[in-house]
Amino acid sequence: MAPFIPLKARIQLGLFSFVSGRAIGSDDRVNRRLLSWLEPLVPADPNPKAGVCSADVMIDSTRDLFVRIFVPSDPSNGEKSEKLPLVVYFHGGGFAFFSPQSAAYDDWGRRMCSELHVVIVSVNYRRSPENRCPAPYDDGIDVLRFLDSGGLRSVDILSGFDVSLGSCFLAGDTAGGNIVHHVARRWAAKIDSWEKININGAIPITPMFGGEKRTDGDIQNQNLPVLTMQRMDWYWKVILPEGADRNHEFAHPFGATTKLEERFPPVLVVAAGYDILRDWQLKYYEWLNEMQHNVRLVMFPDSFHAFYLSRQCEEWMKLIDEMKKFVEEHRSL
């Protein structure tokens, strides 16, 4: 049985599969020039648009590490003097595709900002196959260092807002969900080195984990739209360090001997029933739960991988509600 996918979303998913497939060469390189012609990018807009302003801030031009910042602009949602939580967001795309400038992620960033009433810092991390892991994890930590050192002070659209670095959350979908886990561990491992940033929670949305053994989810959902087994195998091939298999800790973090850092934050795991990654998402939740970590699972049994990127899929509002409850529960007062 296949999930119901609205027509517009099905067209968008089909277009992404077609374009990304054409951009992957026989040598596994990605033709970025071709993608630039076919993938719609959206510029930041400091003027209010649907209650949200945005701006791009460059952190390191040598690796094109920048963030797109989204901030609420509608005064009916609250006063500027209100302390706003900060959500550092890592986009999906199998570590190889998309950016905060992509139309889908610009729209998703705006929706999260408006509905959660938070400041979103969406990270343009380095992509594979040009940059294998741990490059995206390094970029994530460097963004946190930038924020911790007061990097937001010079952002014009944040003028007059009180952004609470003490109420910071990490969130991300698919590949970004994987990055959330590894960046949270790195932050917690050097907890004494941070002056202002406090990670209150982590929200991996349909996170991208895996292993050498095929799961029921791998087999049952291998030919669904968005993410097939063939594409997943390619992602892992160009993401992981040379010579590593899918049991490497970057893909398979739930080893039997792995111990989490004491300050690893509470986690909200989001899973989708019709997702080739479903069983790995559930395994991640079970692993955290077995360690008696503060973790909660939200399952969308009738949804597909990346359902929240489509406004036509009404489940995205339910996801926002769950995220809102999690942020309110764990934010610092």
Side-chain angles (χ1 to χ4, degrees), residues 127-184:
R127 293 169 294 183
S128 64
E130 299 92 335
N131 300 279
R132 294 173 178 262
C133 290
Y137 312 150
D138 296 339
D139 292 344
I141 284 294
D142 287 345
V143 168
L144 293 186
R145 292 291 179 196
F146 170 79
L147 298 172
D148 197 54
S149 65
L152 293 181
R153 286 196 295 263
S154 62
V155 181
D156 290 341
I157 63 170
L158 290 174
S159 177
F161 284 93
D162 188 357
V163 182
S164 178
L165 298 181
S167 285
C168 182
F169 294 80
L170 302 180
D173 66 297
T174 71
N178 176 299
I179 296 172
V180 163
H181 169 81
H182 290 285
V183 170

Side-chain angles (χ1 to χ4, degrees), residues 15-16 37 39 66 108 143 145 162 188 191 238 259 295 326:
L15 182 61
F16 167 70
W37 281 94
E39 181 188 21
F66 69 86
W108 178 228
V143 168
R145 292 291 179 196
D162 188 357
I191 192 65
V238 301
K259 290 185 179 180
V295 60
F326 183 77

Side-chain angles (χ1 to χ4, degrees), residues 72-87:
S73 61
D74 188 349
S76 66
N77 286 337
E79 298 298 329
K80 280 195 172 185
S81 59
E82 176 189 357
K83 275 187 174 291
L84 294 180
L86 179 69
V87 176

Side-chain angles (χ1 to χ4, degrees), residues 12 19 33 36 60 70 96-97 111 114 146 183 217 220 232 238 242 245 295 314:
Q12 291 170 332
V19 170
R33 180 173 295 182
S36 69
D60 184 353
F70 300 92
F97 300 106
R111 282 184 281 151
S114 177
F146 170 79
V183 170
Q220 293 169 4
M232 273 307 310
V238 301
E242 294 280 1
D245 63 21
V295 60
E314 296 180 357

Side-chain angles (χ1 to χ4, degrees), residues 184-199:
R185 290 203 63 184
R186 289 181 174 209
W187 170 82
K190 295 186 176 181
I191 192 65
D192 293 334
S193 70
W194 303 97
E195 295 183 10
K196 301 173 184 177
I197 285 283
N198 186 60
I199 307 299

Side-chain angles (χ1 to χ4, degrees), residues 89-102:
Y89 195 86
F90 301 93
H91 65 81
F95 289 93
F97 300 106
F98 295 121
S99 79
Q101 298 173 322
S102 300

Side-chain angles (χ1 to χ4, degrees), residues 219-326:
I219 297 168
Q220 293 169 4
N221 297 324
Q222 62 178 307
N223 293 315
L224 291 178
V226 191
L227 203 53
T228 64
M229 185 181 294
Q230 180 181 11
R231 177 59 65 87
M232 273 307 310
D233 287 347
W234 179 81
Y235 282 145
W236 291 127
K237 178 183 177 182
V238 301
I239 291 164
L240 297 173
E242 294 280 1
D245 63 21
R246 295 192 300 272
N247 285 338
H248 189 280
E249 63 174 328
F250 292 164
H252 193 83
F254 15 76
T257 60
T258 303
K259 290 185 179 180
L260 286 177
E261 293 74 15
E262 183 179 350
R263 288 292 304 276
F264 189 79
V267 183
L268 175 68
V269 180
V270 179
Y274 290 99
D275 187 345
I276 195 171
L277 298 171
R278 179 196 64 204
D279 291 352
W280 296 111
Q281 295 156 7
L282 297 179
K283 186 174 180 64
Y284 180 63
Y285 163 75
E286 292 163 359
W287 173 65
L288 292 173
N289 197 45
E290 287 169 2
M291 289 192 293
Q292 298 183 329
H293 189 71
N294 186 342
V295 60
R296 186 161 66 87
L297 172 70
V298 176
M299 167 64 83
F300 292 89
D302 299 322
S303 291
F304 53 93
H305 188 78
F307 67 91
Y308 39 84
L309 294 182
S310 173
R311 287 177 177 263
Q312 287 68 45
C313 298
E314 296 180 357
E315 298 273 286
W316 77 267
M317 281 299 298
K318 297 178 183 178
L319 171 57
I320 286 291
D321 288 341
E322 295 293 344
M323 294 173 70
K324 186 181 299 184
K325 287 188 290 186
F326 183 77

